Amino acid sequence: MQLKIYNTETREKDPIFPHDSPTLRMYTCGPTIYDFAHIGNFRTYVFEDLLRRAIQYFGFKVEQAMNITDIDDKTIRGAIAKNISLKEYTDPFKKAFFDDLETLNIQKVEHYPAATDYIPEMIQMIETLMQKGFAYKSSNGSIYFSIRHCPTYGRLSHLNLDDLKANASGENEADEYDKENIADFVLWKAYDPNRDGKIFWESPFGRGRPGWHIECSAMATKLLGQTIDIHCGGVDNMFPHHENEIAQSECCSGHRFVHTWVHAEHLLVDHKKMSKSLGNFHTLRDLLKKGYTGSEVRYLLLSTHYRTQLNFTFAGLDAARSSLQRVEDLAIRLRLVQDMHPTTASLDRAALRFKTALADDLNISAALAALFDLIRELNTLADDGKLGYEEAQRALKLFEEWDQVLGVLPIKKKEEEIPVELLRFLEKRETARREKNWLVSDEMRDAIYGRGYIIEDTPTGARLKKK
C-alpha cells in the first residue's frame, strides 16, 4: 500500500517516497516568534506532525527541518519597543513554542534552524542570484528578485502574472517602491534606522537584513539539499511565500526545489476568522487555563481533514474529551479481560481500513471511523461475555500501533494512587454488598462519590476511578 498526498503544484494525489536518498527530506514553515503561537498555527503544526508520523508508519525514515523566524518586521518592532536585543525579545516566545509542541505531543524534528544563524548562507544565495542576473539592486540599496527572468513563476499557485496587483510580493508597502515589476520581491532590505533601530547585519550590499522569503530557501537547501521531497505550510503561505521560495531556489541552484507541496487549510472560530478584536483569539495557553488538556486540543485539531477548514468551538473540544474518554474506558476494559474465548472481532479488517484511509491523502475521518467502529464492536463483545484475553491483547497492541500515527490515544495504563481511606470505603462497601447490607453499601458509595471518585464494577471486582 502506498501513501499518497495531494500535491498543490500538480493538483493530484502523488505518491510519497524519498527521491534520491534513503531518507525522506521534509521542510515545514515554523513560527515567527514575536508572540505566543495561536491555535490556528497549531492546526498546521499538528497536521505536519500527523504527516511525519504517517510517513514513518509507511516505513520511511524522515529528516525534517522546521524554521524559527526570528528576523521579521514584528520581531524587530517588538525588540525596539522594549529597548532590548532581538534575541532577548524572541527567546521567551521560542521557549514557549517548544513547550507548546511538547504539550501537543508533536514529535521533535531533526532541525530547528533560526534565521539569525543562517545570515551568511542567505547572503551567498543573494550574491549567486545577482551574478546570474535574477536579482538587482534598487536605488534605495535593497536587493530584489526579478520575476520576469523566471518563466515558471506562478506554477504553484496557478496565478497569471498579469493579474498580480500591488503588494503581491508580500512585503511592507515601504518596500514596494523603486522596483522593476510590481511583484518583484525583496531579498535584502537596506538598513533603515527609523525602522530597524540598531538591528542590522553587514553584507556586500551594505547594512540591512534578509527578506522573509530568502530565509526559508537558504535554511532548507543548507540543511536538506538543493532538492527536497516535501515542503509543508499553511494555505496562506502558498502565495507569495512558497511561490517566491521556488523562484529564488531554482534560479540559484538550477535544480528542482521541491517534489511535493502540501498545504493545510485555515482554522476558523465559530465560523469566523480568528481575531483579537472579535474576542475569539486563542492560544494553547488560553485553552489550558480553561481546563482542557493538550491531548484534547490535539485531537480536535487533527480530527478534520487538513484540506478542509476546521471550525473551532468549545463544544468541539468537549466532544474531543468524550471521544478520548471512550478510548480510555475501552483500554481499561481490555486490560481486565481474562476469559479464553475464540477470536471473533474483525481486528485485521479494522487495521486494513485504518491504513487504507491514511494512504488516501491522510483521510483522518475514515481512519477515526475505523477506530471507533472497532471500539463499538469490542464493547459489544465484552458486554456479551464473548471477548477473550488473546483478542483483547491484540486489540491493545493495534491501538498502540495506530497511536504511533495519531499521537493522542489514552491507552497506556495509568498507575493512579487512590487514597487509602477510599480503598477502605470500597472494601466496606463490597463486604456490605456480600452481606446484603444495602444501607452501609450506599453510605460507602456516597462517601466515595463525594470525594470525586466513581465505582466501576468489573468481572474482576470493583475499582475506583476519578470522575
Side-chain angles (χ1 to χ4, degrees):
M1 192 179 299
Q2 196 171 36
L3 173 62
K4 292 186 176 183
I5 299 294
Y6 184 84
N7 186 344
T8 306
E9 184 176 348
T10 64
R11 294 188 176 180
E12 294 180 354
K13 295 177 185 178
D14 291 341
I16 296 300
F17 58 90
H19 285 78
D20 53 10
S21 76
T23 301
L24 190 146
R25 293 168 296 180
M26 181 163 76
Y27 186 87
T28 52
C29 286
T32 301
I33 46 176
Y34 70 96
D35 201 345
F36 297 112
H38 56 69
I39 56 173
N41 302 136
F42 283 113
R43 195 267 166 107
T44 299
Y45 303 145
V46 167
F47 148 67
E48 291 165 348
D49 183 59
L50 178 66
L51 174 58
R52 173 187 171 90
R53 289 168 175 266
I55 291 168
Q56 294 168 335
Y57 180 70
F58 279 85
F60 299 117
K61 291 182 180 179
V62 183
E63 182 180 5
Q64 181 180 350
M66 173 183 276
N67 72 292
I68 306 293
T69 299
D70 53 2
I71 306 174
D72 171 81
D73 289 337
K74 293 175 181 177
T75 61
I76 291 174
R77 278 200 300 266
I80 292 173
K82 292 197 171 185
N83 195 28
I84 57 178
S85 70
L86 190 61
K87 187 176 188 304
E88 287 176 302
Y89 181 76
T90 58
D91 270 357
F93 299 122
K94 182 177 181 179
K95 181 183 182 303
F97 173 70
F98 285 113
D99 289 343
D100 289 348
L101 292 184
E102 187 173 346
T103 299
L104 293 172
N105 195 28
I106 292 175
Q107 284 186 353
K108 290 183 178 179
V109 307
E110 289 68 30
H111 310 283
Y112 290 103
T116 48
D117 294 330
Y118 288 81
I119 301 295
E121 287 79 7
M122 298 171 198
I123 291 173
Q124 184 179 11
M125 198 170 192
I126 295 169
E127 286 185 301
T128 300
L129 289 170
M130 292 186 75
Q131 290 166 6
K132 290 187 173 184
F134 293 110
Y136 59 92
K137 190 171 186 176
S138 68
S139 60
N140 72 348
S142 294
I143 308 297
Y144 289 96
F145 182 90
S146 175
I147 66 167
R148 69 185 180 87
H149 289 101
C150 182
T152 62
Y153 190 88
R155 73 171 194 256
L156 176 66
S157 49
H158 304 277
L159 291 174
N160 187 328
L161 293 187
D162 295 334
D163 296 334
L164 293 180
K165 298 179 180 179
N167 207 29
S169 65
E171 304 296 338
N172 273 347
E173 290 181 7
D175 301 307
E176 286 296 310
Y177 67 90
D178 200 26
K179 298 193 299 185
E180 293 177 357
N181 186 297
I182 197 66
D184 287 354
F185 57 92
V186 69
L187 299 171
W188 185 264
K189 292 187 177 185
Y191 174 61
D192 180 340
N194 294 325
R195 179 192 65 196
D196 303 328
K198 299 177 182 179
I199 301 173
F200 61 84
W201 285 264
E202 298 288 353
S203 82
F205 334 113
R207 288 180 174 180
R209 58 184 169 96
W212 171 39
H213 310 301
I214 197 70
E215 294 177 6
C216 281
S217 286
M219 291 185 283
T221 53
K222 174 67 175 180
L223 292 170
L224 302 177
Q226 293 178 333
T227 302
I228 58 181
D229 298 300
I230 301 176
H231 194 314
C232 298
V235 68
D236 52 321
N237 282 334
M238 186 195 331
F239 184 85
H241 183 49
H242 291 163
E243 195 75 71
N244 292 348
E245 276 192 72
I246 293 173
Q248 64 199 7
S249 300
E250 295 188 354
C251 288
C252 181
S253 71
H255 298 280
R256 183 183 185 89
F257 178 43
V258 173
H259 287 289
T260 302
W261 287 91
V262 190
H263 293 93
E265 261 291 354
H266 292 295
L267 176 142
L268 304 176
V269 178
D270 292 321
H271 298 288
K272 297 177 182 176
K273 185 177 180 180
M274 189 163 52
S275 166
K276 289 182 179 179
S277 63
L278 294 176
N280 65 354
F281 185 94
H282 304 295
T283 66
L284 179 59
R285 283 164 168 68
D286 297 332
L287 302 182
L288 298 179
K289 287 177 183 176
K290 292 180 180 292
Y292 295 100
T293 67
S295 294
E296 290 159 357
V297 176
R298 177 183 175 91
Y299 183 89
L300 177 61
L301 294 179
L302 68 73
S303 60
T304 299
H305 190 266
Y306 75 93
R307 286 196 290 120
T308 302
Q309 287 188 343
L310 168 61
N311 184 45
F312 172 89
T313 65
F314 285 101
L317 266 181
D318 293 335
R321 174 174 292 174
S322 297
S323 296
L324 293 176
Q325 189 63 55
R326 283 181 63 193
V327 178
E328 184 176 6
D329 289 345
L330 176 65
I332 293 169
R333 194 174 194 184
L334 291 174
R335 284 194 289 269
L336 294 171
V337 172
Q338 298 295 325
D339 296 333
M340 301 304 292
H341 291 296
T343 299
T344 54
S346 51
L347 297 181
D348 291 340
R349 185 176 66 190
L352 180 61
R353 283 182 61 194
F354 183 85
K355 191 167 188 177
T356 301
L358 287 178
D360 182 19
D361 195 29
L362 300 185
N363 187 344
I364 192 66
S365 298
L368 292 176
L371 167 67
F372 285 103
D373 285 349
L374 181 58
I375 288 175
R376 189 179 306 111
E377 181 181 353
L378 291 170
N379 274 322
T380 300
L381 289 171
D383 291 342
D384 296 341
K386 296 179 180 178
L387 188 61
Y389 172 80
E390 231 177 87
E391 192 165 34
Q393 293 302 308
R394 281 186 61 215
L396 283 169
K397 185 177 180 181
L398 180 61
F399 290 146
E400 288 174 2
E401 290 175 6
W402 288 355
D403 198 44
Q404 293 301 307
V405 182
L406 302 176
V408 77
L409 301 183
I411 52 179
K412 293 182 180 177
K413 188 174 183 179
K414 295 179 181 177
E415 299 297 337
E416 184 180 351
E417 190 173 329
I418 307 294
V420 174
E421 183 184 15
L422 296 189
L423 293 175
R424 288 174 181 161
F425 288 166
L426 180 63
E427 187 177 348
K428 288 182 181 179
R429 184 237 186 199
E430 293 306 290
T431 301
R433 280 166 63 87
R434 285 194 297 271
E435 296 173 354
K436 298 187 178 181
N437 187 342
W438 308 120
L439 178 62
V440 173
S441 172
D442 290 346
E443 286 177 354
M444 295 300 99
R445 179 200 63 201
D446 293 343
I448 290 169
Y449 284 6
R451 293 282 295 275
Y453 284 78
I454 59 174
I455 301 168
E456 285 192 342
D457 292 306
T458 75
T460 58
R463 66 184 185 90
L464 297 183
K465 178 183 172 183
K466 268 194 173 182
K467 287 183 183 178

